[in-house]
């Protein structure tokens, strides 16, 4: 092979400009996808907390129908009642207390406090009472309970 043939061979590989363009595209896609993914995981965790609250509220109503009072236990129907309950996936800790201005005999408020990575959720602590009234310490009820 002579000197002219070596110079005329096509270049192989990628240029620096092509690599930078590919990295920029990947960066833009990641900037869009990661916040959306994070929001989805927080909503899934919130569903875990809402399910735990609904179970506690249901158990409280069953307990009330048998005893004519609510219980400060989050798991009142168990053989060994528990004061608190951890949601199935561990995203929330649920507790029960008497409502403000009332006694546990007549009303309750079940609260689900976020745990671990779920604390990044803007909804904060979710609550439900004996009337089914739902609240959230952070976001709106529509955003936190309906979605």
């Amino acid at each position: 092979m002579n000197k002219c043939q070596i110079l005329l061979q096509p270049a192989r590989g990628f240029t620096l400009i092509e690599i930078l363009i590919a990295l920029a595209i990947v960066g833009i896609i990641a900037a869009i996808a990661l916040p959306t993914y994070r929001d989805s995981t927080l909503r899934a965790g919130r569903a875990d907390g809402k399910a735990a609250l609904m179970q506690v509220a249901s158990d409280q109503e069953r307990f009330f129908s048998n005893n004519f009072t609510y219980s400060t236990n989050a798991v009142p129907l168990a053989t060994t009642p528990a004061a608190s309950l951890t949601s199935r996936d561990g995203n929330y800790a649920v507790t029960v207390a008497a409502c403000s201005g009332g006694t546990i005999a007549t009303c309750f408020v079940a609260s689900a406090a976020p745990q671990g990575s779920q604390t990044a959720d803007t909804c904060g602590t979710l609550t439900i009472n004996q009337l089914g009234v739902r609240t959230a310490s952070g976001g709106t009820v529509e955003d936190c309970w309906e979605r």
Side-chain angles (χ1 to χ4, degrees), residues 59 86 98 105 144:
D59 289 350
T86 301
C144 297

Side-chain angles (χ1 to χ4, degrees), residues 17-128:
I17 297 293
E18 291 170 330
I19 292 172
L20 290 176
I21 290 171
L23 285 175
I25 291 170
V26 169
I28 291 169
I29 291 171
I32 294 169
L34 288 178
T36 303
Y37 171 75
R38 180 74 175 142
D39 184 52
S40 295
T41 57
L42 289 175
R43 278 190 298 148
R46 196 178 318 131
D48 178 43
K50 291 188 293 188
L53 276 176
M54 298 303 285
Q55 182 63 49
V56 167
S58 174
D59 289 350
Q60 287 292 331
E61 291 302 331
R62 286 179 54 207
F63 186 85
F64 185 84
S65 68
N66 291 332
N67 301 293
F68 303 108
T69 184
Y70 293 107
S71 173
T72 56
N73 293 314
V75 190
L77 301 175
T79 306
T80 307
S84 66
L85 166 77
T86 301
S87 64
R88 184 187 58 161
D89 295 335
N91 294 315
Y92 286 87
V94 181
T95 57
V96 177
C99 62
S100 62
T103 65
I104 197 66
T106 59
C107 59
F108 75 89
V109 175
S111 302
Q115 305 293 304
S117 63
Q118 195 64 31
T119 57
D121 189 9
T122 58
C123 289
T125 300
L126 305 173
T127 63
I128 190 168

